[in-house]
């Protein structure tokens, strides 16, 4: 029993070290300088306990929301726009923190989460997040989430890959529901801690062309005790076309 407690405390100490500044690991070993800067800024706004829920990694993670060769020029243009909002120029020309933060996106977490102990070691080793389980870049879900803590909202830039086809030439409704649940859940988790989806209502307004780049806007509606309510809409990048509207209710839970 004492050995088990010691191991748990050692693991907790290591995770807190990670959340308090990635001690012992240089930014170049772990992430690009740009991503490291924005991750560090995000870490400063989140408590160590929240960090252990959102980024509970004990090894070097890969951020799958970084630009890659599959991104279209439109995807990269919108990404660059929101990255620029993460840092702003002060009067003396120095960079200062902007209102937006880029959230990193990994392909697994269950290996490092307490809930993982209830699964077999084989499943733990093979588990991958649903939206990040295909190795081919650009084939399924290419997305990056930016959050504005003060305004309690987030924007996701999403590019639908060729393996997400439903009706000929258009994105499958289930894939649209998946990315909406991912984004609204990210915002609810950012604001309320560990959550699970309790209810998701979707109105499909217009078919989404396969390979298109869209914006997924999510905002906090209200929080009632352990329940968090989020509104969402999916639009073209210029916001002239509405593809989908949705509402989601999540509930807090403990591993």
């Amino acid at each position: 029993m004492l050995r088990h407690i010691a191991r748990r405390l050692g693991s907790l100490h290591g995770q807190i070290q990670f959340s308090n500044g990635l001690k012992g690991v240089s930014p170049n070993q772990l992430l690009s300088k740009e991503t490291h800067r924005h991750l560090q800024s995000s870490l400063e706004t989140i408590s160590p306990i929240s960090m252990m829920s959102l980024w509970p990694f004990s090894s070097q993670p890969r951020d799958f929301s970084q630009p890659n060769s599959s991104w279209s020029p439109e995807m990269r243009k919108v990404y660059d726009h929101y990255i620029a909002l993460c840092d702003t120029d002060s009067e003396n020309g120095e960079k200062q923190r902007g209102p937006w933060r880029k959230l990193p996106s990994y392909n697994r977490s269950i290996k490092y989460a307490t809930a993982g102990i209830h699964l077999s070691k084989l499943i733990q080793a093979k588990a991958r997040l649903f939206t990040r389980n295909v190795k081919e870049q650009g084939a399924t879900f290419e997305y990056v989430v930016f959050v504005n803590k003060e305004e309690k909202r987030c924007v996701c830039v999403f590019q639908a890959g060729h393996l997400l086809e439903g009706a000929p030439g258009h994105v499958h409704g289930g894939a649209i529901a998946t990315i909406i649940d991912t984004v609204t859940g990210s915002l609810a988790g950012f604001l309320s801690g560990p959550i699970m989806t309790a209810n998701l209502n979707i109105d499909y307004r217009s078919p989404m062309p396969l390979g298109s780049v869209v914006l997924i806007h999510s905002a906090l509606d209200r929080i009632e005790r352990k329940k968090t309510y989020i509104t969402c809409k999916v639009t073209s990048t210029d916001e002239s076309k509405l593809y989908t509207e949705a509402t989601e209710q999540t509930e807090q839970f403990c591993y």
Side-chain angles (χ1 to χ4, degrees):
M1 175 64 72
L2 291 176
R3 289 182 179 179
H4 173 72
I5 294 174
R7 285 196 299 268
R8 295 289 293 170
L9 288 174
S11 174
L12 177 61
H13 176 70
Q15 291 179 27
I16 291 177
Q17 278 191 321
F18 179 86
S19 66
N20 285 340
L22 306 174
K23 295 179 180 178
V25 181
S26 71
N28 291 332
Q29 289 178 311
L30 187 58
L31 302 168
S32 68
K33 291 182 180 179
E34 177 186 76
T35 303
H36 180 266
R37 183 174 67 255
H38 294 300
L39 177 56
Q40 283 290 81
S41 297
S42 298
L43 289 174
E44 294 174 3
T45 65
I46 305 173
S47 68
I49 298 300
S50 298
M51 265 315 306
M52 284 184 282
S53 301
L54 294 175
W55 291 280
F57 295 95
S58 59
S59 59
Q60 295 184 2
R62 171 190 167 190
D63 184 357
F64 284 79
S65 62
Q66 289 291 89
N68 62 64
S69 60
S70 74
W71 285 20
S72 68
E74 183 180 14
M75 175 88 169
R76 185 57 191 260
K77 179 180 179 182
V78 180
Y79 171 86
D80 289 342
H81 168 73
Y82 280 98
I83 279 291
L85 296 179
C86 294
D87 287 327
T88 58
D89 293 324
S90 61
E91 293 181 358
N92 58 8
E94 295 182 355
K95 291 288 185 180
Q96 62 183 13
R97 180 183 301 173
W100 291 88
R101 294 287 173 274
K102 173 184 171 296
L103 296 183
S105 178
Y106 307 122
N107 71 343
R108 64 184 313 190
S109 61
I110 197 167
K111 175 182 177 182
Y112 309 97
T114 307
I117 64 176
H118 300 295
L119 300 177
S120 71
K121 291 184 178 180
L122 178 62
I123 293 179
Q124 288 185 47
K126 293 185 175 182
R128 295 293 184 275
L129 296 181
F130 185 50
T131 55
R132 298 296 190 190
N133 64 6
V134 176
K135 291 184 178 180
E136 182 185 353
Q137 293 181 335
T140 55
F141 299 90
E142 287 292 337
Y143 65 98
V144 54
V145 178
F146 294 89
V147 64
N148 189 315
K149 185 178 181 180
E150 293 181 1
E151 298 180 3
K152 294 181 173 56
R153 67 187 181 99
C154 73
V155 172
C156 171
V157 190
F158 170 53
Q159 178 178 291
H162 57 274
L163 296 184
L164 300 184
E165 187 176 43
H170 292 85
V171 183
H172 194 286
I176 297 173
T178 295
I179 193 64
I180 287 176
D181 187 34
T182 297
V183 177
T184 53
S186 295
L187 179 60
F190 184 84
L191 297 174
S192 302
I195 53 89
M196 293 190 73
T197 302
N199 183 274
L200 177 62
N201 291 310
I202 299 178
D203 290 320
Y204 296 97
R205 301 301 187 185
S206 182
M208 184 186 301
L210 203 63
S212 60
V213 178
V214 301
L215 295 180
I216 303 171
H217 309 263
S218 294
L220 175 67
D221 180 27
R222 66 190 188 277
I223 296 177
E224 296 177 355
R225 296 186 178 182
K226 294 185 177 182
K227 298 179 180 180
T228 302
Y229 296 84
I230 304 292
T231 61
C232 179
K233 65 177 181 178
V234 183
T235 71
S236 57
T237 55
D238 62 3
E239 301 186 37
S240 64
K241 189 174 186 62
L242 177 65
Y243 291 109
T244 312
E245 290 181 300
T247 59
E248 179 168 280
Q249 172 196 333
T250 67
E251 294 194 16
Q252 294 179 342
F253 79 105
C254 296
Y255 287 113

